[in-house]
Amino acid sequence: MPSSNVYSKRRQNLINQMGKGVAILKGAPEQIRTNDTEYPYRQDSDFFYLTGYTEPGAACIINPNDKDNPFTMFVLPQDPKKEVWTGWRLSFEDTATHFGADQALDIGEFESNALEAMKISSKVYTNLSHDKVHQYKMLDLVGEVRKVVQRTGGGPEGLESVGSLTHVMRLFKDEHELGLMQKAADISADAHSKAMQACKPDMYEYQLQAILESHFVHEGGAGPAYTSIVGGGDNATVLHYIKNRDKIKDGDMVLIDAAAEYDMYAADITRTFPANGKFSDAQRAIYEVVLKAQKAVIDASKPGVTFKELHDMDLRLLVEGMIEIGLLSGTADEIIENESYQEYFMHKTGHWLGLDVHDMGNYMADGESIVMKPGMVFTVEPGIYVNSKSKAPEKYRGIGIRIEDDILITETGNKNLTAAVPKEIVDIEALMNRD
Ligand code: GLY
Ligand code: MN
Ligand code: MN
């Protein structure tokens, strides 16, 4: 299917749910990094999901109540003086053709068109993400329209997040998305294997980061899907350690949580391995607890199971394992009840994955945990983190371990998209000690 059909199918799906509503969406604003230079541009995920448009300065109106132009794109006009700096822009006509729009107009006409679209619609859906200026503008316009239609009737009754519709749609990945997600996963998996094989004591954390991120870009990825975490020793026990500046010591465990974004889709992989290529007894003891829990949760991931059931299974296995190796004392029931496990395991088992690394979509609905269905993709990432200040037995201090894979729910069970990176102890040791 040509990719523009992918987006028009999604818009049709949205229209079917909007009734007499209209979707008025703005692309992500550019973000300044220093003075007059910007961060690399990344389109708003909902805007991209419905249009396929990746350039800055855009907006769109999806309006089934407008029979002549149900889909209008708004883009930056052609301007040779500016294009010399930032690249060629498509003409309005070519934009409309390429993105399957009924018309494309100058972005300067967005607000007046939005106002007209609101007059003939019963509800306004918009992207209520991080762009506060856009949110206030939409509220402003709804208020203005309400005044205009006061005597004639009609007009929107309110402003709603388009995410209330798109985030449910985005939970279920179509074939097109799964192809891109597998590619992001493959690039990321290869990068992890390369970094694992290259690691030696006395390397710097940023040198492993460079190996990973160079591979992401070399293989056509946009770069990291999130800020790479490369932590040796105690740094591996800091959940969001992103400095990556320290020297890795002989005897350290190294935790790498890094993955590529490819054509807007994220992977998310963590592997943990001994810097010197050989697990010590203490490292092996904790690692085996995490690995056993991770594999059990993946095995249990199939249609019908809930996110909560997976997390509860993960937690129980981690707690039982920590009791067995002497990290916790008491019964598993007590420890789960009083939450004392949180000293070593303080996050959830996983999250949705897709256009955003922590992808949109609820984990609960009507007070119940979401039930897994085919097409959903999420991470399974148990961990145990024993920092150097902990009261744990000395041998365990300064060891942080997480193992993370990306799991697609299929009709019959699941597919591990990131299975290619070794995680069995024998396989890690074999890879690290290969010449
Ligand atoms: N890399 C972010 C996470 O694992 O959630
Ligand atoms: Mn994750
Ligand atoms: Mn991760």
Side-chain angles (χ1 to χ4, degrees):
M1 161 155 58
S3 67
S4 67
N5 288 359
V6 168
Y7 304 104
S8 68
K9 227 171 119 184
R10 292 175 189 161
R11 287 193 297 274
Q12 191 54 52
N13 189 345
L14 181 80
I15 285 168
N16 295 345
Q17 300 175 68
M18 284 199 304
K20 291 234 159 280
V22 58
I24 303 180
L25 308 181
K26 193 94 187 273
E30 292 192 271
Q31 304 284 351
I32 296 293
R33 182 168 185 277
T34 61
N35 189 13
D36 57 354
T37 61
E38 295 97 19
Y39 281 104
Y41 185 70
R42 170 61 161 72
Q43 187 55 278
D44 173 87
S45 294
D46 278 327
F47 191 84
F48 173 78
Y49 185 75
L50 293 169
T51 64
Y53 196 78
T54 54
E55 296 295 319
C60 76
I61 298 179
I62 302 167
N63 191 2
N65 310 307
D66 180 344
K67 297 295 168 233
D68 295 332
N69 295 300
F71 177 40
T72 302
M73 295 270 302
F74 300 86
V75 295
L76 294 170
Q78 289 182 313
D79 179 341
K81 280 199 181 127
K82 294 207 169 119
E83 287 169 69
V84 165
W85 293 89
T86 53
W88 306 127
R89 295 174 185 168
L90 290 179
S91 67
F92 296 132
E93 207 179 352
D94 288 348
T95 300
T97 307
H98 192 83
F99 292 93
D102 301 295
Q103 61 176 344
L105 303 174
D106 190 318
I107 187 67
E109 297 180 55
F110 172 56
E111 282 172 22
S112 56
N113 278 265
L115 197 84
E116 293 307 310
M118 286 180 184
K119 283 185 192 164
I120 56 168
S121 305
S122 62
K123 192 186 272 187
V124 178
Y125 292 88
T126 194
N127 39 354
L128 299 176
S129 43
H130 307 294
D131 186 351
K132 293 278 180 268
V133 176
H134 168 64
Q135 291 176 27
Y136 293 139
K137 178 47 75 182
M138 286 294 107
L139 266 178
D140 216 32
L141 290 181
V142 169
E144 223 169 287
V145 172
R146 294 293 324 151
K147 278 187 234 154
V148 174
V149 300
Q150 190 180 7
R151 287 183 184 280
T152 55
E157 283 145 22
L159 187 63
E160 192 168 320
S161 166
V162 76
S164 64
L165 306 177
T166 52
H167 297 171
V168 181
M169 292 161 65
R170 281 172 54 187
L171 268 183
F172 298 91
K173 274 63 181 178
D174 57 36
E175 284 306 310
H176 173 78
E177 295 182 288
L178 289 175
L180 298 174
M181 289 191 76
Q182 185 63 65
K183 178 81 179 167
D186 290 345
I187 293 171
S188 308
D190 282 348
H192 270 265
S193 295
K194 276 176 184 285
M196 204 183 270
Q197 199 176 358
C199 183
K200 297 275 175 293
D202 295 337
M203 279 179 84
Y204 284 88
E205 293 162 344
Y206 54 77
Q207 292 175 323
L208 291 181
Q209 179 184 1
I211 292 170
L212 289 148
E213 294 183 5
S214 147
H215 189 74
F216 298 163
V217 177
H218 186 270
E219 296 307 304
Y226 52 92
T227 310
S228 302
I229 296 172
V230 182
D234 210 30
N235 293 339
T237 69
V238 178
L239 296 181
H240 288 165
Y241 175 77
I242 53 171
K243 289 200 191 101
N244 307 343
R245 301 310 299 168
D246 286 350
K247 195 184 249 191
I248 296 164
K249 295 191 289 297
D250 200 351
D252 279 354
M253 282 298 270
V254 179
L255 183 152
I256 298 181
D257 185 348
E261 180 174 292
Y262 184 83
D263 263 10
M264 302 292 282
Y265 283 86
D268 187 4
I269 303 179
T270 308
R271 288 293 185 267
T272 315
F273 49 87
N276 60 16
K278 182 91 186 98
F279 282 79
S280 71
D281 288 347
Q283 291 166 350
R284 177 184 294 266
I286 301 181
Y287 191 90
E288 281 177 344
V289 172
V290 178
L291 183 61
K292 182 178 170 190
Q294 205 243 8
K295 284 162 62 176
V297 172
I298 293 175
D299 277 352
S301 297
K302 51 177 182 270
V305 72
T306 67
F307 228 114
K308 181 172 183 319
E309 284 165 341
L310 294 178
H311 178 72
D312 288 348
M313 169 188 257
D314 184 31
L315 177 59
R316 184 158 288 273
L317 285 166
L318 289 175
V319 167
E320 286 173 357
M322 286 192 272
I323 295 169
E324 220 172 286
I325 66 170
L327 256 179
L328 292 172
S329 55
T331 68
D333 285 339
E334 270 163 27
I335 292 167
I336 290 169
E337 174 68 26
N338 64 25
E339 299 186 351
S340 53
Y341 62 83
Q342 290 215 356
E343 185 177 356
Y344 305 123
F345 174 53
M346 56 298 270
H347 57 75
K348 290 286 183 200
T349 296
H351 52 82
W352 305 123
L353 181 71
L355 286 168
D356 299 341
V357 64
H358 293 166
D359 210 25
M360 306 312 285
N362 293 338
Y363 295 94
M364 303 275 291
D366 300 327
E368 301 287 333
S369 180
I370 293 285
V371 176
M372 295 294 180
K373 297 198 181 90
M376 291 173 158
V377 181
F378 60 100
T379 66
V380 175
E381 49 178 306
I384 294 178
Y385 313 91
V386 190
N387 67 54
S388 59
K389 293 182 185 161
S390 131
K391 299 273 179 293
E394 171 103 41
K395 61 183 176 180
Y396 294 136
R397 291 185 210 159
I399 298 177
I401 290 170
R402 178 165 65 254
I403 308 171
E404 176 175 29
D405 281 307
D406 303 342
I407 306 301
L408 161 69
I409 297 289
T410 61
E411 294 293 336
T412 53
N414 72 71
K415 181 180 178 202
N416 183 347
L417 305 180
T418 50
V421 205
K423 65 182 177 188
E424 297 292 336
I425 288 180
V426 284
D427 296 332
I428 291 175
E429 291 187 343
L431 178 66
M432 294 187 73
N433 291 291
R434 208 160 71 189
D435 289 327

